[in-house]
Structure formats: C-alpha cells, structure tokens
Amino acid sequence: MARQWCEGHSTSILCVGAAGGPEGLLASGSEGGEVTVWSQEGSVVGSLTLSGEEDNTSVVFSPTAPGWLYVSHGETVSILDPRSLKGVVEEFQGAGEEEINALALNETGSALAVADDSGAVRILELPGGKVCRTLRRHTNICSSVAFRPHRPNNLVSAGLDMQVMLWGLQKTRPLWTLNLQEVAEEEEEHQQRAGQLFNPPLAHCVSVSSCGNVLACAAEDGRVHLMRVGSGSKLEQQGAVKAHSQGASQAHFVSFLSHPYWLATGGNDGRVALWDLSQDPVVTPEGTGKSQAAPHRRKLKGKARAKQPSQDKAKNKSKAQPDKEEAEKEAGGCKEAEGAEEAVKSGPKLSINHEHKVNWVCPAVLKGEPSLVVADQSSSLTVYTLSGL
C-alpha cells in the first residue's frame, strides 16, 4: 500500500507540491534549501540547493505555465524551471516582510499570495513580482493561504492568532473573520468534562474545495474546522471534524475523486486520514441532515465577526431557531454534542498509521492512480494509494 521515495533529500522534507496534468511532476522542499523534482514513478528528475540554505517552506507549481515552480525560503521566493533544475530563473527578494510560511497561486497564475511571520499577506502580480496589495489583520504568524477556485480575487488566510479570514483583493480588510478560539469556547460550554484539557486552535493549514464554497482549516486542537461560503461571499455555516488526537497540521481537499468534498488530513499524532464530507451538515444544504442542530454546527446569520460577544451570539442563535429546537438541544446536552464532534458519522473512509509526525500531505494522481504523498521528519516521501475509493 505504501511506497517510499528516497535519495532526493538529505534533510527533513517540509513541503510537497504537484503539477497538474496526467504527466505532471512533483516537487519537494526541505530544511537547508534543498529542492527536488520527482517523476510520477518516484525517480529524481533534478535537485538543487538554494543559496543561503534556508528552509524551504512552500513549493507551488504554476497552473498555467508548466515551466515555473515557486519556492519560498526565508523572505525570498525563487522561481525554478522544474524540467531543468540548473539554477534560479528569477528571484523575488524581500517578497515577505519576515520569514515566509506559505505560498498560493490563483487559477490564472496572475497573482501570488505570500504569508509570513509578521502576520501580513502580500499579493504579488505575475509576471514581475510587484507587490500590489498588503493585507494586515492577523495579529500573529500567518501560517497558510489559499485562493478560492473560480474566484481569482478571493483569498483565504489562517494564522496562529486562531483566525480564518476571507479577503476580496479589491480591499485591504477581510470580508469576514472567524475566530476559532471563540468557537472552541462556545463548544466547551456544551462539552467540557472535569479535568479535560483543550489545545488552543492555532490555525496551521487552510484549503478550499474545487467548487470554491467549502473551506477546511487544520488546527492545533486536533480538529479540522469547516466553513461554507454562500452568496455574496458570506460565511453561511461552520462546524468541525475531530480529526486527530493531537494537533492537525495538514488539510487538503482532493479534487480528483468522485466529488469535491474528499479531504485529506495529517497530524502530529502520526495519522493520515481521508474524509468524505459530502454528507457533513456544513457541506450539505440545510434540511438534508438531522445532525445540523448540533451546537457547533451553526448556521451563521449576517457577517461573521471575530469580536462579537458570546452572549450576543447566544441571543442571535435563539432568535434564528424555533423554541422547540432549542429545547431539544438542551435536552440532548453533552451526549448530542459528543455525537456531533464526530461530524462524519462513520469516521474517516481511510485512516493510516503513518507513525511519524506529518509535515505535509499532497494529493496527486500518479500514473493514473489517485494517491497521497506524505512528508514527515525524515528525508524520504511516502506514497499511499487511494485506489478502490
């Protein structure tokens, strides 16, 4: 079931990216500036150590230009030609204000988002790399960014300030902000048991489904937080899947399976999982699932505000739902909340004990076979097949 790709790195692999198309290459970046390009069979096409030997934190292929591979290291973004890895084609020095954590390209390949330790997200015009926007609302490290498919001017960001934000790039303020800490505090009121401890929901990795309307964010509390975006780019509903027993470090929607709502996750517990979210109440339109009334599966009215007092939320919630439903919720108590915590009733469709802390999970089609490429603290990649799903 698992295959090892070796010989490409001498240090721990931190990030992996896959190019589109049936014969697309893969790339990985590691500590010390090593970049390796792989064939679909797992052989090394080329390898390069970038100057400065800073850790490579993100590798992203251009969706429109197969000869461009973007790699972040330190405050710099380097452009490489993955077909001929002989040197840097172009370099955007100072692309990040501080060390860069994540890169994202929009579908048209015309904009590159750069998230860094200062909490800022810079938008670079392509080609050229000119900074055309700087988005400053995160109060801690911005750890992940993702563009919404079909909406090249919509960007999602997540950070260690426990906030997820949706941006319209015409403006420098977010369209909405969801504070995961407030969400967690609200849930704990329903679920907390004596002596139970919760890790703070530091946001590590955000992904958007291929339809563009469902977001997933892996967080330090072991959950993958889910959000559905409705008309007018409003946050319509949010919930969570308890995915890992330790921090969830990776969440990536898989675009090449039977529907857009397959999600691959990885965590510090050494597990890799594949989830079918098609029936999750956040994904499924209202009225098709009974579990929608669960406390942490809220339909959100109006704009989501990060600093809205929790008592106001309670008032809004009670107005939005009939008294009978509220009474049923109270009667269900913790039991219903615990059931909702599972979110996807049958659990993950695939659960793999990878045994090592997961640094990256990259969905890819390799020689026609749907697969997950996993990087951990070793210098090798592990490939798991998803055939049969």
Side-chain angles (χ1 to χ4, degrees):
M1 184 179 176
R3 305 192 304 276
Q4 293 288 122
W5 289 5
C6 307
E7 311 299 331
H9 290 274
S10 61
T11 56
S12 178
I13 299 173
L14 303 177
C15 52
V16 186
E23 300 299 324
L25 299 171
L26 284 88
S28 53
S30 68
E31 295 175 349
E34 293 179 351
V35 181
T36 298
V37 174
W38 308 80
S39 72
Q40 295 209 345
E41 293 85 5
S43 59
V44 175
V45 174
S47 191
L48 178 70
T49 299
L50 296 173
S51 61
E53 299 187 0
E54 297 166 301
D55 293 352
N56 296 320
T57 53
S58 190
V59 288
V60 183
F61 284 90
S62 170
T64 55
W68 288 353
L69 172 66
Y70 296 83
V71 182
S72 58
H73 51 107
E75 299 171 9
T76 301
V77 175
S78 292
I79 304 178
L80 311 177
D81 183 346
R83 302 162 300 184
S84 178
L85 215 58
K86 294 179 180 178
V88 174
V89 176
E90 192 174 359
E91 202 164 66
F92 303 149
Q93 293 187 355
E97 295 181 3
E98 296 182 16
E99 184 176 354
I100 299 168
N101 298 304
L103 301 176
L105 281 162
N106 66 359
E107 285 180 312
T108 61
S110 62
L112 176 71
V114 177
D116 68 28
D117 276 1
S118 74
V121 179
R122 282 181 165 179
I123 309 300
L124 278 58
E125 291 179 347
L126 298 176
K130 179 184 176 183
V131 177
C132 61
R133 276 281 186 277
T134 302
L135 311 175
R136 304 180 193 277
R137 283 300 169 99
H138 286 287
T139 58
N140 203 326
I141 290 170
C142 185
S143 51
S144 185
V145 282
F147 281 94
R148 287 179 71 195
H150 315 301
R151 297 162 185 83
N153 289 316
N154 268 198
L155 179 79
V156 186
S157 65
L160 301 193
D161 56 359
M162 298 175 279
Q163 299 193 94
V164 179
M165 303 180 186
L166 178 67
W167 304 82
L169 296 186
Q170 297 86 350
K171 299 180 180 179
T172 55
R173 63 177 184 273
L175 299 172
W176 53 258
T177 299
L178 181 67
N179 189 314
L180 300 183
Q181 185 176 31
E182 288 189 359
V183 171
E185 288 171 355
E186 189 173 302
E187 291 169 19
E188 285 167 27
E189 291 176 9
H190 295 275
Q191 300 175 26
Q192 194 162 13
R193 294 179 285 279
Q196 188 173 6
L197 299 175
F198 292 88
N199 289 327
L202 310 176
H204 293 307
C205 180
V206 69
S207 180
V208 188
S209 64
S210 59
C211 69
N213 295 330
V214 180
L215 319 180
C217 180
E220 187 62 29
D221 58 1
R223 294 171 180 153
V224 175
H225 296 263
L226 304 175
M227 291 140 270
R228 187 174 80 232
V229 182
S231 60
S233 295
K234 293 180 180 178
L235 178 56
E236 251 182 19
Q237 194 149 343
Q238 63 84 21
V241 175
K242 178 61 177 175
H244 294 274
S245 60
Q246 297 180 36
S249 59
Q250 290 284 289
H252 297 276
F253 280 101
V254 183
S255 62
F256 46 75
L257 294 178
S258 56
H259 56 70
Y261 308 117
W262 289 95
L263 182 76
T265 66
N268 296 341
D269 57 358
R271 297 201 74 82
V272 175
L274 183 70
W275 304 81
D276 180 353
L277 300 179
S278 59
Q279 298 304 311
D280 188 276
V282 173
V283 174
T284 305
E286 187 174 359
T288 61
K290 292 182 180 179
S291 60
Q292 196 145 326
H296 73 297
R297 310 228 153 248
R298 299 182 296 142
K299 182 168 184 183
L300 301 175
K301 300 291 184 180
K303 291 185 178 180
R305 293 294 186 189
K307 299 181 180 179
Q308 186 180 11
S310 56
Q311 60 184 17
D312 290 347
K313 288 184 180 179
K315 288 178 185 176
N316 292 343
K317 189 192 244 182
S318 62
K319 288 177 184 176
Q321 296 178 334
D323 293 339
K324 182 180 178 182
E325 188 176 335
E326 283 293 317
E328 287 173 355
K329 272 201 229 173
E330 290 175 14
C334 288
K335 185 175 180 181
E336 184 181 7
E338 288 168 19
E341 185 70 21
E342 293 303 320
V344 182
K345 290 182 180 179
S346 59
K349 294 297 181 183
L350 180 65
S351 183
I352 300 165
N353 184 9
H354 183 70
E355 297 183 350
H356 304 286
K357 180 180 176 182
V358 174
N359 285 342
W360 205 277
V361 176
C362 177
V365 178
L366 303 176
K367 304 303 291 182
E369 193 173 74
S371 307
L372 296 178
V373 182
V374 178
D376 52 37
Q377 294 174 303
S378 74
S379 59
S380 300
L381 294 173
T382 305
V383 178
Y384 297 101
T385 179
L386 302 180
S387 292
L389 289 171

